[in-house]
Amino acid sequence: MKVQDLNLESLVETAMRRIPGGVSTNIRLLEGPQKLIVKRAFGSRVWTVDDRELVDFVCGYGTVLLGYGFPALTQRQSEILGHGISYNATNPFEIEAADRLLNIFPDYDMVRFGVTGSEATTAAIGLSRIVTERSAIAVFRNHYHGWHGPTNAPRTVFTPPGNLPVPEVPVFEIPFNDTQVCADFFHRHGDSLACVIFEIVMINGGGFEPAPEFIRLLHEARDRHGFLLIADEVITGFRVGLRGAQKKYGVCPDLTVFGKALGGGVPIGAVLGRKAHMELFASGKAVHAGTFNGHPLATASAAFILDYLAANEQAVYSHLEKAAGRLKLGLVRAARNAGATCHVRGAGAVMCLEVEDEFGCPADSVQVFQDELLARGVRIALGGRWFVGLAHGEQEVEAAVSAAEAAFGALKNREHILQIAQQ
Ligand code: PMP
C-alpha cells in the first residue's frame, strides 16, 4: 500500500483498521481521521489530504509559537539533520539550550532535558520524593500533567473534615484556588507531602488564573511543611511571556517543568531546579533516563527558539497579546451577536472557551461548537482551547471571529431544536 495513492475514504478506513481510534493519542479521539487528516502546515494554516485549507489555532497543541515551518527554524533544523542526529552523547546543542534556558530563569542552576511533558513531570515528582524522602504528592482537580507517571495513580480526593483512609503511596487531589480547603489540607497532610504539582493557570480545566492569596498559601505551606512546589509550565511556558506564568503571577517554584513550545514543534521536555536538588540526578539517587533525551534536533530547536524569543521579546509578546486580546473580544462579541453566551479565559497566547448553555446540554456544547468551526474552516484544540501564535494576524483573527459567530448561531439553532424535542 502506498499512502499517497489512497483516496480520503480508504485512508480513513485504513487508519481506523490499523490504529486504535485512528489516532496515536487518546487526546485526538474526538478529532479523528473522519474529521481531518492533515498533510501539511505552514504559518497559521494546515492543509488536509482532501485539500481543505484551515486556519489553525491548534498550533501543535501549543508547541508551535512562531508559526508552522518558520523559515529560519526550519533551516536550522535542516542543518542539524544533515549532521546525523541520534548519536546519543552530550552534544553542543543541549549545552547551548541549557545555558540559554538558565539565563532566562536565573533562580535555577540546572536543567535536564527529555522528550515529553509527561516524562518531565514524572522526573520532577520522582526527584521531589528523593529530596524529601516522602512519597505522598498533591495534585489539583482538573489539572493535567501527562498520561503516565504518578499523577495518574488512583487519587484520594480531599474533602474536609478529612479523616481520610490514606493509601500506601497517596496521591491527594485538592481544589485549585480554594484557599480555605487547601489550608486545611496542608494543615493535616503537609508534613507527609513530597511535592505539590500544579498548572499556574489551569489551562486543562477552563483557563482559570491563580488568586494571589492562593499563591501566597502555596508558598507558605511549602516553607512550613518542607515539600517541593513544582510548577507545570508545559503549556504556559513561553506562551505567557518569556519568563513564563511564574513571572506573571509571582510564583517561586522549587522545580519547573517545560515542554511543548520550548521545542518549536520538536518533542522536548525539561525539568529546571536548583543545584542541591538537581545533583541527585547526577549521583544516580534520582532516576531520569531516556534514549532520546537531549536529542540534538530538539535541543538545537530549543536554543533557536530561546534566542529568537529573547532577541525579539517585546515584539513577539506584544503581537501575541494583541492577537489574543482581539480574538477574545471578538469571540465574546460573536457569541452575543448570535444570541449565545461564552466565557473566554486564559493567559497570554492560550485561552479556553466555554459556551454557556441555556438549554441544559452543556457537556458537548464546546465540541459541537468546535465541529461547527471546523466545518467553516477554522480549527481549534480539544475542549475549546485556542493557541495563538506569531502567524496569527488580523486576517486570521477576523476569519476566526466570523466563523465563530456562524458556529454560535448553529449551536443556538441546535439547542432550540433540542429544546422543542424535549417539550
Ligand atoms: N503538563 C501539562 C500542563 C499539559 O497540558 C500536558 C499535555 N498537554 C503535559 C504536561 C504532558 O505533556 P506531553 O503531552 O508532552 O507528555
PDB file of all heavy atoms in Angstrom, residues 125-126 128-137 189-195 224-228:
ATOM      1  N   ILE A 125       8.528  14.848  39.863  1.00  0.00           N
ATOM      2  CA  ILE A 125       7.863  14.271  41.044  1.00  0.00           C
ATOM      3  C   ILE A 125       8.781  13.226  41.701  1.00  0.00           C
ATOM      4  O   ILE A 125       8.938  13.195  42.921  1.00  0.00           O
ATOM      5  CB  ILE A 125       6.500  13.654  40.654  1.00  0.00           C
ATOM      6  CG1 ILE A 125       5.532  14.771  40.241  1.00  0.00           C
ATOM      7  CG2 ILE A 125       5.914  12.841  41.810  1.00  0.00           C
ATOM      8  CD1 ILE A 125       4.256  14.285  39.573  1.00  0.00           C
ATOM      9  N   GLY A 126       9.427  12.414  40.871  1.00  0.00           N
ATOM     10  CA  GLY A 126      10.364  11.410  41.405  1.00  0.00           C
ATOM     11  C   GLY A 126      11.480  12.085  42.186  1.00  0.00           C
ATOM     12  O   GLY A 126      11.858  11.651  43.286  1.00  0.00           O
ATOM     13  N   SER A 128      11.361  14.957  43.682  1.00  0.00           N
ATOM     14  CA  SER A 128      10.846  15.507  44.943  1.00  0.00           C
ATOM     15  C   SER A 128      10.754  14.416  46.012  1.00  0.00           C
ATOM     16  O   SER A 128      10.948  14.676  47.200  1.00  0.00           O
ATOM     17  CB  SER A 128       9.473  16.176  44.731  1.00  0.00           C
ATOM     18  OG  SER A 128       8.443  15.212  44.621  1.00  0.00           O
ATOM     19  N   ARG A 129      10.468  13.196  45.590  1.00  0.00           N
ATOM     20  CA  ARG A 129      10.368  12.094  46.559  1.00  0.00           C
ATOM     21  C   ARG A 129      11.750  11.747  47.131  1.00  0.00           C
ATOM     22  O   ARG A 129      11.870  11.421  48.308  1.00  0.00           O
ATOM     23  CB  ARG A 129       9.733  10.867  45.888  1.00  0.00           C
ATOM     24  CG  ARG A 129       8.238  11.071  45.672  1.00  0.00           C
ATOM     25  CD  ARG A 129       7.579   9.873  45.046  1.00  0.00           C
ATOM     26  NE  ARG A 129       6.130   9.954  45.223  1.00  0.00           N
ATOM     27  CZ  ARG A 129       5.233   9.526  44.345  1.00  0.00           C
ATOM     28  NH1 ARG A 129       5.626   8.952  43.230  1.00  0.00           N
ATOM     29  NH2 ARG A 129       3.952   9.630  44.612  1.00  0.00           N
ATOM     30  N   ILE A 130      12.758  11.850  46.287  1.00  0.00           N
ATOM     31  CA  ILE A 130      14.115  11.561  46.770  1.00  0.00           C
ATOM     32  C   ILE A 130      14.589  12.692  47.688  1.00  0.00           C
ATOM     33  O   ILE A 130      15.150  12.457  48.760  1.00  0.00           O
ATOM     34  CB  ILE A 130      15.101  11.401  45.575  1.00  0.00           C
ATOM     35  CG1 ILE A 130      14.636  10.297  44.641  1.00  0.00           C
ATOM     36  CG2 ILE A 130      16.520  11.147  46.064  1.00  0.00           C
ATOM     37  CD1 ILE A 130      14.598   8.910  45.236  1.00  0.00           C
ATOM     38  N   VAL A 131      14.328  13.933  47.289  1.00  0.00           N
ATOM     39  CA  VAL A 131      14.778  15.088  48.093  1.00  0.00           C
ATOM     40  C   VAL A 131      14.160  15.034  49.481  1.00  0.00           C
ATOM     41  O   VAL A 131      14.845  15.235  50.494  1.00  0.00           O
ATOM     42  CB  VAL A 131      14.379  16.420  47.396  1.00  0.00           C
ATOM     43  CG1 VAL A 131      14.561  17.620  48.325  1.00  0.00           C
ATOM     44  CG2 VAL A 131      15.199  16.629  46.124  1.00  0.00           C
ATOM     45  N   THR A 132      12.864  14.767  49.547  1.00  0.00           N
ATOM     46  CA  THR A 132      12.143  14.878  50.831  1.00  0.00           C
ATOM     47  C   THR A 132      12.089  13.563  51.603  1.00  0.00           C
ATOM     48  O   THR A 132      11.691  13.556  52.767  1.00  0.00           O
ATOM     49  CB  THR A 132      10.691  15.329  50.591  1.00  0.00           C
ATOM     50  OG1 THR A 132      10.065  14.376  49.729  1.00  0.00           O
ATOM     51  CG2 THR A 132      10.623  16.716  49.955  1.00  0.00           C
ATOM     52  N   GLU A 133      12.432  12.482  50.916  1.00  0.00           N
ATOM     53  CA  GLU A 133      12.278  11.131  51.493  1.00  0.00           C
ATOM     54  C   GLU A 133      10.839  10.905  51.948  1.00  0.00           C
ATOM     55  O   GLU A 133      10.558  10.311  52.980  1.00  0.00           O
ATOM     56  CB  GLU A 133      13.278  10.903  52.635  1.00  0.00           C
ATOM     57  CG  GLU A 133      14.712  11.003  52.145  1.00  0.00           C
ATOM     58  CD  GLU A 133      15.736  10.739  53.228  1.00  0.00           C
ATOM     59  OE1 GLU A 133      15.361  10.783  54.407  1.00  0.00           O
ATOM     60  OE2 GLU A 133      16.893  10.495  52.867  1.00  0.00           O
ATOM     61  N   ARG A 134       9.902  11.440  51.182  1.00  0.00           N
ATOM     62  CA  ARG A 134       8.475  11.221  51.424  1.00  0.00           C
ATOM     63  C   ARG A 134       7.862  10.714  50.114  1.00  0.00           C
ATOM     64  O   ARG A 134       8.423  10.917  49.045  1.00  0.00           O
ATOM     65  CB  ARG A 134       7.776  12.529  51.796  1.00  0.00           C
ATOM     66  CG  ARG A 134       8.373  13.240  53.000  1.00  0.00           C
ATOM     67  CD  ARG A 134       7.716  14.612  53.115  1.00  0.00           C
ATOM     68  NE  ARG A 134       8.286  15.412  54.173  1.00  0.00           N
ATOM     69  CZ  ARG A 134       7.971  16.701  54.360  1.00  0.00           C
ATOM     70  NH1 ARG A 134       7.104  17.302  53.558  1.00  0.00           N
ATOM     71  NH2 ARG A 134       8.507  17.383  55.342  1.00  0.00           N
ATOM     72  N   SER A 135       6.666  10.123  50.233  1.00  0.00           N
ATOM     73  CA  SER A 135       6.091   9.583  48.993  1.00  0.00           C
ATOM     74  C   SER A 135       4.813  10.277  48.540  1.00  0.00           C
ATOM     75  O   SER A 135       4.487  10.261  47.356  1.00  0.00           O
ATOM     76  CB  SER A 135       5.827   8.085  49.144  1.00  0.00           C
ATOM     77  OG  SER A 135       4.959   7.875  50.231  1.00  0.00           O
ATOM     78  N   ALA A 136       4.059  10.886  49.465  1.00  0.00           N
ATOM     79  CA  ALA A 136       2.764  11.456  49.077  1.00  0.00           C
ATOM     80  C   ALA A 136       2.947  12.678  48.186  1.00  0.00           C
ATOM     81  O   ALA A 136       3.923  13.422  48.331  1.00  0.00           O
ATOM     82  CB  ALA A 136       1.980  11.848  50.323  1.00  0.00           C
ATOM     83  N   ILE A 137       2.002  12.857  47.277  1.00  0.00           N
ATOM     84  CA  ILE A 137       2.014  14.081  46.471  1.00  0.00           C
ATOM     85  C   ILE A 137       0.602  14.663  46.428  1.00  0.00           C
ATOM     86  O   ILE A 137      -0.370  13.951  46.694  1.00  0.00           O
ATOM     87  CB  ILE A 137       2.523  13.840  45.026  1.00  0.00           C
ATOM     88  CG1 ILE A 137       1.535  12.984  44.225  1.00  0.00           C
ATOM     89  CG2 ILE A 137       3.890  13.174  45.032  1.00  0.00           C
ATOM     90  CD1 ILE A 137       1.859  12.930  42.737  1.00  0.00           C
ATOM     91  N   HIS A 189      -2.034  17.273  56.156  1.00  0.00           N
ATOM     92  CA  HIS A 189      -1.195  16.343  55.395  1.00  0.00           C
ATOM     93  C   HIS A 189       0.116  16.941  54.883  1.00  0.00           C
ATOM     94  O   HIS A 189       0.910  16.228  54.268  1.00  0.00           O
ATOM     95  CB  HIS A 189      -1.982  15.807  54.189  1.00  0.00           C
ATOM     96  CG  HIS A 189      -3.156  14.967  54.571  1.00  0.00           C
ATOM     97  ND1 HIS A 189      -3.048  13.675  55.025  1.00  0.00           N
ATOM     98  CD2 HIS A 189      -4.482  15.263  54.594  1.00  0.00           C
ATOM     99  CE1 HIS A 189      -4.251  13.195  55.287  1.00  0.00           C
ATOM    100  NE2 HIS A 189      -5.139  14.138  55.047  1.00  0.00           N
ATOM    101  N   GLY A 190       0.343  18.251  55.129  1.00  0.00           N
ATOM    102  CA  GLY A 190       1.518  18.923  54.564  1.00  0.00           C
ATOM    103  C   GLY A 190       2.830  18.225  54.888  1.00  0.00           C
ATOM    104  O   GLY A 190       3.716  18.129  54.028  1.00  0.00           O
ATOM    105  N   ASP A 191       2.948  17.698  56.113  1.00  0.00           N
ATOM    106  CA  ASP A 191       4.222  17.091  56.521  1.00  0.00           C
ATOM    107  C   ASP A 191       4.500  15.760  55.822  1.00  0.00           C
ATOM    108  O   ASP A 191       5.614  15.232  55.919  1.00  0.00           O
ATOM    109  CB  ASP A 191       4.238  16.879  58.041  1.00  0.00           C
ATOM    110  CG  ASP A 191       4.441  18.198  58.780  1.00  0.00           C
ATOM    111  OD1 ASP A 191       4.847  19.180  58.122  1.00  0.00           O
ATOM    112  OD2 ASP A 191       4.180  18.244  60.005  1.00  0.00           O
ATOM    113  N   SER A 192       3.465  15.197  55.185  1.00  0.00           N
ATOM    114  CA  SER A 192       3.707  13.909  54.507  1.00  0.00           C
ATOM    115  C   SER A 192       3.980  14.092  53.018  1.00  0.00           C
ATOM    116  O   SER A 192       4.256  13.135  52.306  1.00  0.00           O
ATOM    117  CB  SER A 192       2.496  12.974  54.687  1.00  0.00           C
ATOM    118  OG  SER A 192       1.415  13.453  53.898  1.00  0.00           O
ATOM    119  N   LEU A 193       3.905  15.348  52.548  1.00  0.00           N
ATOM    120  CA  LEU A 193       3.992  15.557  51.101  1.00  0.00           C
ATOM    121  C   LEU A 193       5.423  15.678  50.589  1.00  0.00           C
ATOM    122  O   LEU A 193       6.236  16.409  51.170  1.00  0.00           O
ATOM    123  CB  LEU A 193       3.266  16.852  50.708  1.00  0.00           C
ATOM    124  CG  LEU A 193       1.751  16.894  50.891  1.00  0.00           C
ATOM    125  CD1 LEU A 193       1.229  18.278  50.512  1.00  0.00           C
ATOM    126  CD2 LEU A 193       1.069  15.820  50.049  1.00  0.00           C
ATOM    127  N   ALA A 194       5.690  15.001  49.476  1.00  0.00           N
ATOM    128  CA  ALA A 194       6.953  15.223  48.760  1.00  0.00           C
ATOM    129  C   ALA A 194       6.840  16.477  47.896  1.00  0.00           C
ATOM    130  O   ALA A 194       7.789  17.228  47.753  1.00  0.00           O
ATOM    131  CB  ALA A 194       7.276  14.016  47.890  1.00  0.00           C
ATOM    132  N   CYS A 195       5.659  16.656  47.289  1.00  0.00           N
ATOM    133  CA  CYS A 195       5.502  17.821  46.417  1.00  0.00           C
ATOM    134  C   CYS A 195       4.038  18.164  46.212  1.00  0.00           C
ATOM    135  O   CYS A 195       3.144  17.352  46.460  1.00  0.00           O
ATOM    136  CB  CYS A 195       6.138  17.578  45.042  1.00  0.00           C
ATOM    137  SG  CYS A 195       5.274  16.366  44.045  1.00  0.00           S
ATOM    138  N   ARG A 224       6.535  25.989  55.393  1.00  0.00           N
ATOM    139  CA  ARG A 224       6.220  25.394  56.691  1.00  0.00           C
ATOM    140  C   ARG A 224       6.436  23.882  56.686  1.00  0.00           C
ATOM    141  O   ARG A 224       6.955  23.308  57.636  1.00  0.00           O
ATOM    142  CB  ARG A 224       4.771  25.710  57.081  1.00  0.00           C
ATOM    143  CG  ARG A 224       4.400  25.224  58.485  1.00  0.00           C
ATOM    144  CD  ARG A 224       3.042  25.709  58.958  1.00  0.00           C
ATOM    145  NE  ARG A 224       2.859  27.126  58.701  1.00  0.00           N
ATOM    146  CZ  ARG A 224       1.878  27.628  57.936  1.00  0.00           C
ATOM    147  NH1 ARG A 224       1.001  26.827  57.381  1.00  0.00           N
ATOM    148  NH2 ARG A 224       1.781  28.916  57.751  1.00  0.00           N
ATOM    149  N   HIS A 225       6.021  23.220  55.587  1.00  0.00           N
ATOM    150  CA  HIS A 225       5.989  21.751  55.612  1.00  0.00           C
ATOM    151  C   HIS A 225       7.142  21.084  54.853  1.00  0.00           C
ATOM    152  O   HIS A 225       7.292  19.865  54.908  1.00  0.00           O
ATOM    153  CB  HIS A 225       4.652  21.252  55.048  1.00  0.00           C
ATOM    154  CG  HIS A 225       3.470  21.727  55.844  1.00  0.00           C
ATOM    155  ND1 HIS A 225       3.184  21.241  57.107  1.00  0.00           N
ATOM    156  CD2 HIS A 225       2.528  22.661  55.578  1.00  0.00           C
ATOM    157  CE1 HIS A 225       2.096  21.846  57.569  1.00  0.00           C
ATOM    158  NE2 HIS A 225       1.687  22.722  56.665  1.00  0.00           N
ATOM    159  N   GLY A 226       7.897  21.870  54.121  1.00  0.00           N
ATOM    160  CA  GLY A 226       9.114  21.319  53.517  1.00  0.00           C
ATOM    161  C   GLY A 226       8.910  20.448  52.291  1.00  0.00           C
ATOM    162  O   GLY A 226       9.808  19.693  51.911  1.00  0.00           O
ATOM    163  N   PHE A 227       7.751  20.547  51.654  1.00  0.00           N
ATOM    164  CA  PHE A 227       7.608  19.819  50.377  1.00  0.00           C
ATOM    165  C   PHE A 227       8.120  20.709  49.238  1.00  0.00           C
ATOM    166  O   PHE A 227       8.375  21.901  49.438  1.00  0.00           O
ATOM    167  CB  PHE A 227       6.155  19.390  50.133  1.00  0.00           C
ATOM    168  CG  PHE A 227       5.135  20.505  50.171  1.00  0.00           C
ATOM    169  CD1 PHE A 227       4.994  21.399  49.111  1.00  0.00           C
ATOM    170  CD2 PHE A 227       4.289  20.661  51.281  1.00  0.00           C
ATOM    171  CE1 PHE A 227       4.056  22.410  49.151  1.00  0.00           C
ATOM    172  CE2 PHE A 227       3.348  21.677  51.322  1.00  0.00           C
ATOM    173  CZ  PHE A 227       3.230  22.556  50.257  1.00  0.00           C
ATOM    174  N   LEU A 228       8.270  20.135  48.049  1.00  0.00           N
ATOM    175  CA  LEU A 228       8.689  20.944  46.897  1.00  0.00           C
ATOM    176  C   LEU A 228       7.460  21.400  46.112  1.00  0.00           C
ATOM    177  O   LEU A 228       6.492  20.658  45.985  1.00  0.00           O
ATOM    178  CB  LEU A 228       9.610  20.155  45.958  1.00  0.00           C
ATOM    179  CG  LEU A 228      10.915  19.589  46.507  1.00  0.00           C
ATOM    180  CD1 LEU A 228      11.857  19.230  45.351  1.00  0.00           C
ATOM    181  CD2 LEU A 228      11.618  20.542  47.455  1.00  0.00           C
TER     182      LEU A 228
END
